[in-house]
């Protein structure tokens, strides 16, 4: 059994492991994930960056936050001294650099390069870019694929149309359902939202679906508004029950609207033949060409007749001038 003064096997393993730059990259890949230490965003040299305080980084390395899954291929730190030495290596190898705060959300590169727990450090290492490169490739491929839409086969165009219409209808019903549920519960004095962060642009894709629901008591002073909305909603329900023919007509119209939307005939001013032949090159038929030639011949004949009339008028004028000259 090791005594207090004797170094343990794990304590010897940590410094030697993180002496290699590749192992530091593995550590930084973990620190840059959502399981890593919390970071803040700021502007440095006209660029948005992420930074954290040196003390928080050391605290995380020594004692990770609750629920953090530490990678099995990384040895854990057993003391603050080991964590500080690794942080110094991160600064030396430019995985991060020290910054100075000039104001709220405004940073500047510090002239002091050494690591200090009291300083602020900005990440220069952006983490593993494999996923980012893959998504960029998918984005470029998707863009090129969309630009080739005119030469897509007809079945693929129909599939994309159906998918687009289905997504549009799904989003419409989702937003409507969220609003109706909020209205019902709000009348009772509570703010209830299904997927409250769904349209929060500051969150990533997965966080937009967390939490699933939220329920809070409404603020004071909204009683009259809730009563007014309750009366309006009750009036609508009374109208729907007492005027079934009008309400049924409204429902039928919505069904026809969705049906026309799927068929592509909602705002159509083209015949079915034009739709089927929309991708075919526009070439005039032989009959159209002959008609064009005939119309050109007729125009030439009309022009030649006008020329003859003009020539006759000129001859008459010339003859009259000659007769007038002989009489004189």
């Amino acid at each position: 059994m090791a005594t207090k003064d004797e170094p343990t096997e794990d304590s010897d393993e940590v410094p030697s492991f993180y002496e290699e730059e590749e192992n530091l990259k593995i550590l930084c890949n973990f620190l840059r994930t959502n399981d890593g230490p919390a970071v803040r965003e700021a502007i440095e040299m006209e660029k948005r960056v992420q930074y954290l305080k040196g003390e928080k980084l050391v605290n995380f390395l020594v004692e990770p936050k609750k629920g953090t899954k530490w990678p099995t291929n990384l040895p854990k730190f057993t003391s603050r001294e080991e964590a500080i030495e690794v942080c110094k290596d991160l600064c030396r190898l430019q995985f991060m650099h020290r910054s100075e705060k000039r104001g709220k959300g405004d940073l500047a590169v510090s002239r002091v390069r050494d690591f200090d727990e009291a300083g602020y450090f900005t990440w220069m290492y952006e983490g593993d870019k494999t996923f980012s490169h893959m998504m960029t490739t998918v984005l470029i491929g998707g863009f090129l694929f969309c630009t080739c839409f005119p030469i897509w086969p007809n079945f693929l165009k129909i599939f994309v149309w159906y998918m687009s219409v289905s997504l549009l209808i799904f989003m419409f019903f989702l937003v409507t359902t969220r609003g109706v549920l909020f209205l019902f519960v709000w009348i009772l004095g509570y703010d209830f939202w299904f997927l409250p962060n769904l349209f929060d642009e500051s969150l990533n894709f997965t966080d937009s679906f967390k939490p699933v629901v939220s329920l809070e008591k409404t603020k004071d002073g909204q009683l009259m508004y809730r009563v007014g909305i309750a009366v309006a909603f009750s009036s609508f329900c009374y109208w729907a029950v007492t005027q079934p023919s009008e309400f049924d007509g409204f429902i039928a119209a919505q069904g026809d609207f969705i049906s026309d939307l799927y068929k592509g005939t909602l705002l159509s001013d083209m015949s079915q033949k034009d739709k089927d032949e929309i991708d075919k090159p526009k070439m005039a038929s032989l009959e159209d060409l002959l008609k064009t030639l005939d119309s050109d011949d007729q125009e030439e004949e009309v022009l030649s007749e006008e020329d003859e009339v003009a020539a006759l008028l000129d001859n008459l004028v010339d003859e009259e001038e000659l007769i007038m000259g002989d009489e004189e």
Side-chain angles (χ1 to χ4, degrees), residues 34 195-198 203-213:
N34 293 331
L195 298 177
N197 296 323
L198 183 62
L203 301 177
N204 56 36
F205 179 78
T206 55
D207 291 339
S208 297
F209 298 93
K210 299 176 183 177
V212 179
V213 295

Side-chain angles (χ1 to χ4, degrees), residues 6 52 56 59 69 73 102 141 169 190 192 199 231:
E6 293 178 355
L52 75 168
K56 291 186 177 180
N59 291 340
K69 295 181 179 179
N73 58 341
R102 296 190 302 186
I169 294 175
Y190 292 91
F192 173 80
F199 300 108
V231 172

Side-chain angles (χ1 to χ4, degrees), residues 86-96 113 115 121:
V86 171
C87 291
K88 289 181 180 180
D89 291 338
L90 293 179
C91 292
R92 180 175 56 83
L93 297 174
Q94 297 185 352
F95 287 95
M96 58 172 58
R113 303 295 182 181
F115 180 82
F121 295 87

Side-chain angles (χ1 to χ4, degrees), residues 253-299:
Q254 301 309 310
D256 294 338
F257 172 81
I258 295 177
S259 178
D260 292 340
L261 197 60
Y262 270 105
K263 292 179 181 178
T265 58
L266 183 62
L267 299 174
S268 176
D269 57 354
M270 302 172 61
S271 65
Q272 187 63 37
K273 182 180 178 181
D274 292 336
K275 292 180 182 179
D276 296 337
E277 298 178 355
I278 192 171
D279 294 329
K280 292 184 179 180
K282 306 297 182 184
M283 299 180 63
S285 62
L286 179 60
E287 183 179 357
D288 294 335
L289 293 174
L290 293 175
K291 287 181 179 179
T292 303
L293 292 174
D294 292 340
S295 62
D296 292 341
D297 294 339
Q298 291 177 359
E299 290 179 358

Side-chain angles (χ1 to χ4, degrees), residues 12-21 23-24 26 73-75:
D12 291 339
E13 180 183 0
V14 173
S16 60
F17 179 84
Y18 291 114
E19 285 177 357
E20 299 183 9
E21 186 174 349
N23 293 335
L24 287 176
I26 299 175
N73 58 341
L74 292 176

